[in-house]
Amino acid sequence: MPALPRNLAALALAGLLAGCAAKRTTRAPWAGPTEPMDVVVARINERNVRIDKLRGEGRFEADLVDPRTKKHEPGDGDITLMYMPRRSLFIRGRVLGQDVFRIGSNDERFWLILKMQDTMYWGEHRLVGGARLRELPVRPDLLAEVLAVGPIEADLLKQPTPVMRFNNDQHAYMFTWNVQLSDRWAVQKEVWYDRETLLPKLVLLFDENGRIVLRAYLQRPVDAEGFDAPVKVASVYDMYFPDTGSKFRMEFDEWKRENRGAPSPRTFNYPGDDPGVSNVVPLDE
């Protein structure tokens, strides 16, 4: 590549340094007062306990990587998401009016239906952790955690045990949830809550060896309709699955408590009797 003329190089360097300085000085570290853990938990739960159901409509962008072939499958389209605490989740992706994937979870099972592969993968939450989960470009068993709208257990000594610390640079309360294994403690999940709003802005999920299995940035909170008191929910979710390299972005135009009676418990019924595909792959075998 030919060298830049001296004056252009100087301008480029000055712009770069100015940009770096702007990033450093955009927000000074927080040095003011912070709340104790029990107060932060109570304030988060005051909001989260009101969210008994959610329905969102919007768009998705995906770059899904097949773990076996390493083949990338980019795509984008319309998305519908429905949720009820704690593990009940339904996500449908459509392109040009046709279903391309469905992701589901309830208290017992989770599943991923890929129409292009004519295949449904499913597993049980109680048996999660098997090696076959690595066959999936995204993990349905993890996605309900990304919304970070469930209440935090009030008993702060109950496992998974939460621990809080404060990040001055990011103006965030950082919670980790830890479980005791047979030989050690392990972190399961980390959520960053904004200091002012106490809304979640980053979710990290880990395997038992401390490796991140899902990273999600939560952005642009908006008002959700249909609740008795104001409820804000992130409208953008940027997710990354390091094990496969898959990326999945959801951007919602609106959030509602429900629409025409949905979601309801029936929304999250396991579709095993009629999944709409030919191949059914159990992940627990």
Side-chain angles (χ1 to χ4, degrees):
M1 179 181 292
L4 286 171
R6 183 176 299 176
N7 59 336
L8 290 181
L11 287 172
L13 179 60
L16 176 62
L17 293 176
C20 293
K23 287 183 179 179
R24 286 198 301 268
T25 59
T26 297
R27 197 178 193 191
W30 177 254
T34 59
E35 301 284 1
M37 183 175 180
D38 59 335
V39 173
V40 174
V41 169
R43 289 180 57 195
I44 291 171
N45 284 349
E46 183 181 358
R47 161 190 172 266
N48 286 4
V49 295
R50 295 199 295 267
I51 303 176
D52 59 339
K53 56 178 70 176
L54 273 175
R55 179 181 177 123
E57 304 282 350
R59 297 169 300 282
F60 76 89
E61 295 178 11
D63 181 12
L64 304 184
V65 182
D66 188 313
R68 294 162 295 186
T69 66
K70 307 303 180 184
K71 179 182 177 182
H72 288 250
E73 293 186 14
D76 60 85
D78 300 318
I79 195 169
T80 298
L81 183 150
M82 290 183 276
Y83 165 85
M84 292 179 70
R86 291 191 176 248
R87 284 178 169 164
S88 295
L89 182 75
F90 173 86
I91 303 176
R92 179 179 64 196
R94 297 169 67 86
V95 175
L96 299 177
Q98 300 295 315
D99 282 11
V100 291
F101 66 82
R102 292 193 181 193
I103 298 170
S105 172
N106 55 33
D107 286 343
E108 291 80 32
R109 303 186 187 193
F110 58 89
W111 55 95
L112 169 64
I113 298 175
L114 298 174
K115 289 287 189 175
M116 296 295 290
Q117 295 184 10
D118 194 29
T119 299
M120 179 179 79
Y121 302 89
W122 72 274
E124 296 184 58
H125 286 292
R126 66 183 180 88
L127 300 175
V128 75
R132 297 201 67 180
L133 281 171
R134 298 191 182 95
E135 296 179 14
L136 304 182
V138 298
R139 292 213 10 209
D141 59 306
L142 303 177
L143 288 175
E145 299 284 352
V146 168
L147 297 178
V149 294
I152 298 174
E153 170 62 52
D155 182 354
L156 300 180
L157 296 176
K158 183 178 179 180
Q159 292 193 47
T161 308
V163 176
M164 186 187 84
R165 63 193 193 277
F166 186 74
N167 187 319
N168 300 75
D169 295 315
Q170 297 297 327
H171 293 230
Y173 293 101
M174 301 164 61
F175 277 73
T176 59
W177 280 264
N178 309 278
V179 292
Q180 187 174 17
L181 305 180
S182 60
D183 60 341
R184 58 195 158 84
W185 285 81
V187 61
Q188 273 190 342
K189 176 174 67 171
E190 181 171 321
V191 181
W192 294 19
Y193 295 93
D194 180 77
R195 179 190 64 83
E196 294 182 277
T197 66
L198 292 183
L199 294 172
K201 59 182 184 178
L202 173 65
V203 176
L204 301 169
L205 304 179
F206 302 88
D207 67 14
E208 64 179 24
N209 294 312
R211 288 174 54 87
I212 294 174
V213 293
L214 172 57
R215 182 196 69 207
Y217 290 103
L218 285 59
Q219 302 168 321
R220 288 190 242 158
V222 297
D223 291 319
E225 301 175 13
F227 291 91
D228 295 335
V231 167
K232 284 188 178 291
V233 182
S235 62
V236 177
Y237 299 79
D238 270 317
M239 294 176 283
Y240 174 59
F241 297 81
D243 280 348
T244 62
S246 293
K247 298 177 181 178
F248 190 49
R249 176 184 171 93
M250 303 184 296
E251 185 170 348
F252 295 95
D253 301 316
E254 64 177 18
W255 283 110
K256 295 181 178 180
R257 181 176 176 271
E258 63 178 3
N259 185 22
R260 298 180 181 178
S264 71
R266 290 194 307 170
T267 304
F268 313 102
N269 285 344
Y270 173 64
D273 294 336
D274 185 19
V277 292
S278 301
N279 304 312
V280 177
V281 179
L283 296 169
D284 301 324
E285 290 186 353

